[in-house]
Amino acid sequence: MAVIVTRNLTKRFGNLTAVNKLNLEIEEGEIFGLLGPNGAGKTTTLSMLATLLPPSDGDAIVNGFDVRKHASQVRHSIGFVFQDPSSDDLLTGRENLYLHALMYGVNMRNVNEKMDSVLRLVDLLDKQHVRMKYYSGGMRRRLELARGLLHEPKILFLDEPTLGLDPQTREHLWSYIKKLSAEKKVTIIVTTHYMEEADLLCDRLAIIDHGRVVAMDTPARLKKQLGGDQVKLKIRKPNIAALRKLKYVKNIKRRGDMLTLTVNESALHLQEILKRVGPVESVESRSPTLNDVFLHYTGKEIRESGEEGGYFERMLHSGNR
Amino acid sequence: MGELNGLYALWYREFKVFLRERSRIISSLIQPIMWLVIFGTGLGASISLGGGLSGINYQAFIYPGILCMIVLFSSLFFGLYIIMDKRVDFLKEVLVAPLGRTTIFFGKVLGGATDGLIQVALLIALGAAFFSIPFTAYSLVMTIIVVMLLLISIVSLGLAIGALMSSPEGFGLITGFVIFPLFFLSGALFPTKSLPAWLGTFVALNPVSYAVDALRNVILGVSSTYGLAMDFAVLFGFALIMIIVGTWAFRRMKF
């Protein structure tokens, strides 16, 4: 069952079309990724789905409710973990959770058990009474994840959850996200511009560029659509005619003594290729990455630099409150 | 129930944060004390108040005005925190909550008014202890009513400015234009009875003048310029208008 459906969802800011006729169907229980460079329209899309911004055109149905007509029901169905810090530094982790519970209509009768349970999920029980200004970036994110779950939403939005975190903390956070997806059965929509994050975390993803979906599938199938693995051979006199006869060799490129083949399931066929192509000096086989997929669909590399301003820079500028 | 819990949540946050920022509480008291001690003593040594005010020293005379000053400064700058919240995503966390904008606004007003009331209470205690201000049960109750009305008005005004501005610099610019006329044209530092007509008009147009007038009457027993009934009517009206303006600003607030 689809929990989020958008039809031609569009957002314009003056002359700029940030989101352009977006069509998405997100299934219950999956981790769905919106992958794209900064400024591709990911955050704008989430803001519309969360009723923070009204769409200029098109429709969006979240958990069965129209974002235009039933904003309040939509808000009860969703949790949101924002890109920038959204908790109060002068309050403790637990106090921030308590505030959230009050604001999001959590049943206050068993609020303590609920707070304990989400704190346990993100391993922050021992830090719950520490003021958040003493939290590390990773801990803060974990607390905000826990907070997003406190009112038991059907859908959880994570906007660039690992922006500005070091690679180790990032992987750590992914494991928490996977855990809560498995334990709480919540549908998760995550935006990111990190390729490996999209690859490892998401069940399915949409590649977005200039406000449009350019490709949408599972990471494995997206990579498979490229036609196969990249096999690079260093060889003086290749027998190209013999390679052409092999069905699983999709593409052959020759530059000097470097031969690049696109091969379906190269692990199975490498032996055969090497037998036919002639004496080889070196060989390298690599599976395609999402980077290749992105390059294929958009004609450019994803920009890895955080132009929107890193999480920590913003935190520094924000002062104490 | 949901909206009520939300109201409590917003108040709870402001109150907790205020109590934890001890430096903010202390620094907010330093300025009024300097006015009372330095300005009050210094100027008081060289002037004597005439026209029914004889027998009141100048320090005691400006004390009600200084109470209004602490309300003005702390409450108007309370709106600045909205801009701080906007710079990170805290405001979004509040705005995505299933709460009406009006509820969010009133929660903030309650929080800001509570902060201001604590500062006023401290200044009342200081006034009674060190500046021989003769508070009675009647004057305390009346003072708190007047101060609450003014707090609600000025907090709402500060929140409205904060909701419409996106940078602290812009906020500072606007409040600078608002706060000094409101303070200096309120009669906080001088008697308003024998002013030149043009200045008297400005003072009469300033809602804060009515708070100063009422406080001077209930605390010091000085006869009221406008009449207590008029003072309260103006303060009620001012609070109501500012609440409407603030609610409107919150409804159209972007983030």
Side-chain angles (χ1 to χ4, degrees):
Chain A
M1 198 192 88
V3 286
I4 292 182
V5 181
T6 72
R7 280 189 211 94
N8 294 326
L9 189 66
T10 301
K11 182 69 190 178
R12 283 180 290 267
F13 297 105
N15 286 329
L16 177 85
T17 306
V19 175
N20 196 351
K21 296 185 181 159
L22 198 69
N23 289 297
L24 292 176
E25 260 188 44
I26 298 170
E27 299 295 322
E28 188 164 9
E30 68 179 342
I31 303 184
F32 187 89
L34 294 172
L35 175 69
N38 291 333
K42 294 167 294 178
T43 302
T44 309
T45 304
L46 289 198
S47 298
M48 284 192 284
L49 294 177
T51 74
L52 274 171
L53 278 178
S56 309
D57 222 333
D59 293 307
I61 310 293
V62 175
N63 194 28
F65 301 110
D66 189 319
V67 293
R68 284 181 216 262
K69 291 175 203 145
H70 305 289
S72 178
Q73 283 97 323
V74 169
R75 288 176 185 198
H76 276 290
S77 323
I78 61 168
F80 209 128
V81 178
F82 300 99
Q83 193 167 324
D84 284 335
S86 58
S87 31
D88 197 310
D89 277 357
L90 288 171
L91 300 180
T92 66
R94 195 179 181 89
E95 285 167 342
N96 269 297
L97 289 182
Y98 182 63
L99 274 189
H100 182 92
L102 285 168
M103 289 195 294
Y104 283 73
V106 172
N107 185 352
M108 298 312 279
R109 214 173 286 162
N110 52 1
V111 69
N112 281 315
E113 289 81 7
K114 279 183 186 162
M115 290 196 287
D116 290 341
S117 130
V118 293
L119 282 165
R120 195 171 302 121
L121 194 66
V122 295
D123 284 333
L124 279 176
L125 271 174
D126 55 331
K127 299 281 184 191
Q128 58 173 320
H129 297 302
V130 174
R131 289 187 196 176
M132 287 198 57
K133 63 174 163 185
Y134 303 115
Y135 276 33
S136 69
M139 282 161 61
R140 181 184 274 274
R141 285 270 117 158
R142 267 149 59 197
L143 187 101
E144 288 174 359
L145 266 182
R147 189 179 63 179
L149 288 171
L150 192 56
H151 57 289
E152 291 167 354
K154 298 265 293 192
I155 302 155
L156 185 62
F157 294 107
L158 309 177
D159 193 3
E160 301 272 2
T162 60
L163 187 72
L165 299 181
D166 60 78
Q168 221 178 340
T169 314
R170 198 179 291 166
E171 276 177 40
H172 199 48
L173 203 67
W174 294 341
S175 67
Y176 283 111
I177 295 172
K178 290 213 163 189
K179 189 164 125 193
L180 60 92
S181 160
E183 280 184 22
K184 299 271 177 180
K185 308 261 180 287
V186 54
T187 309
I188 295 175
I189 292 98
V190 52
T191 74
T192 184
H193 65 277
Y194 295 121
M195 291 294 174
E196 73 279 25
E197 177 163 301
D199 203 346
L200 292 173
L201 192 59
C202 301
D203 299 320
R204 227 152 51 90
L205 55 93
I207 294 179
I208 298 190
D209 193 32
H210 296 299
R212 281 176 177 280
V213 174
V214 293
M216 178 158 59
D217 215 325
T218 66
R221 258 184 278 171
L222 280 171
K223 289 185 286 190
K224 214 170 176 185
Q225 275 166 19
L226 285 188
D229 305 329
Q230 306 285 306
V231 177
K232 276 189 182 174
L233 304 164
K234 193 172 183 191
I235 184 169
R236 294 249 174 82
K237 290 175 190 159
N239 186 348
I240 290 184
L243 289 179
R244 288 242 160 84
K245 281 182 199 150
L246 298 171
K247 249 193 261 163
Y248 45 79
V249 177
K250 299 291 178 194
N251 197 6
I252 304 171
K253 263 188 225 157
R254 193 178 177 188
R255 186 178 284 170
D257 54 3
M258 288 304 295
L259 196 65
T260 306
L261 312 175
T262 305
V263 180
N264 234 342
E265 300 189 66
S266 67
L268 285 178
H269 305 302
L270 198 56
Q271 187 99 36
E272 189 67 28
I273 291 169
L274 291 176
K275 214 186 276 173
R276 299 200 177 200
V277 77
V280 169
E281 276 178 51
S282 75
V283 61
E284 180 197 330
S285 170
R286 178 170 74 81
S287 13
T289 63
L290 276 181
N291 226 359
D292 299 321
V293 176
F294 193 81
L295 195 68
H296 175 78
Y297 282 106
T298 66
K300 64 187 176 202
E301 302 257 350
I302 197 160
R303 298 186 298 268
E304 287 282 356
S305 66
E307 282 167 30
E308 285 165 28
Y311 188 68
F312 289 101
E313 286 160 47
R314 295 266 203 108
M315 247 170 81
L316 281 177
H317 290 308
S318 72
N320 265 345
R321 299 226 348 183
Chain B
M1 201 53 206
E3 300 284 321
L4 217 62
N5 276 342
L7 200 68
Y8 171 66
L10 289 155
W11 174 83
Y12 171 91
R13 180 210 176 196
E14 300 303 343
F15 186 60
K16 275 259 155 137
V17 165
F18 177 75
L19 290 185
R20 285 190 188 163
E21 283 186 310
R22 302 240 170 74
S23 60
R24 199 173 123 202
I25 307 179
I26 292 167
S27 69
S28 71
L29 281 173
I30 286 175
Q31 208 187 2
I33 291 172
M34 291 211 298
W35 275 91
L36 282 175
V37 173
I38 303 171
F39 195 78
T41 315
L43 199 65
S46 58
I47 62 165
S48 62
L49 299 162
L53 295 169
S54 46
I56 295 172
N57 74 40
Y58 183 69
Q59 202 172 51
F61 175 78
I62 64 169
Y63 179 80
I66 300 303
L67 275 181
C68 291
M69 184 180 100
I70 198 172
V71 170
L72 275 177
F73 278 79
S74 75
S75 301
L76 202 62
F77 283 108
F78 182 74
L80 191 59
Y81 294 120
I82 288 258
I83 295 175
M84 301 300 194
D85 288 353
K86 269 188 216 175
R87 294 208 133 185
V88 288
D89 278 340
F90 190 89
L91 191 65
K92 276 195 202 165
E93 151 79 4
V94 176
L95 295 182
V96 180
L99 295 173
R101 288 281 175 103
T102 315
T103 307
I104 296 172
F105 173 74
F106 278 104
K108 286 263 178 197
V109 171
L110 281 182
T114 308
D115 297 356
L117 199 60
I118 293 169
Q119 294 174 11
V120 166
L122 290 173
L123 195 61
I124 288 177
L126 286 173
F130 300 109
F131 298 97
S132 41
I133 305 297
F135 276 107
T136 62
Y138 163 79
S139 70
L140 265 181
V141 171
M142 293 298 272
T143 300
I144 284 167
I145 295 172
V146 171
V147 161
M148 272 311 282
L149 286 171
L150 193 63
L151 276 169
I152 290 168
S153 314
I154 306 294
V155 170
S156 301
L157 177 63
L159 287 172
I161 298 172
L164 301 177
M165 308 298 286
S166 56
S167 75
E169 293 79 11
F171 183 86
L173 194 71
I174 300 285
T175 50
F177 276 114
V178 171
I179 206 160
F180 288 103
L182 282 182
F183 177 57
F184 284 117
L185 292 174
S186 68
L189 302 175
F190 47 77
T192 53
K193 277 190 176 133
S194 48
L195 292 177
W198 65 270
L199 191 56
T201 312
F202 278 119
V203 171
L205 286 173
N206 178 4
V208 182
S209 309
Y210 297 85
V212 174
D213 187 54
L215 287 182
R216 207 164 266 157
N217 176 265
V218 298
I219 298 172
L220 302 175
V222 172
S223 73
S224 165
T225 310
Y226 310 105
L228 263 192
M230 178 68 172
D231 289 339
F232 276 100
V234 170
L235 289 171
F236 264 114
F238 184 45
L240 200 64
I241 291 169
M242 286 302 119
I243 286 172
I244 291 168
V245 169
T247 314
W248 168 81
F250 259 58
R251 287 226 173 111
R252 68 187 297 278
M253 172 166 57
K254 300 206 174 72
F255 40 85

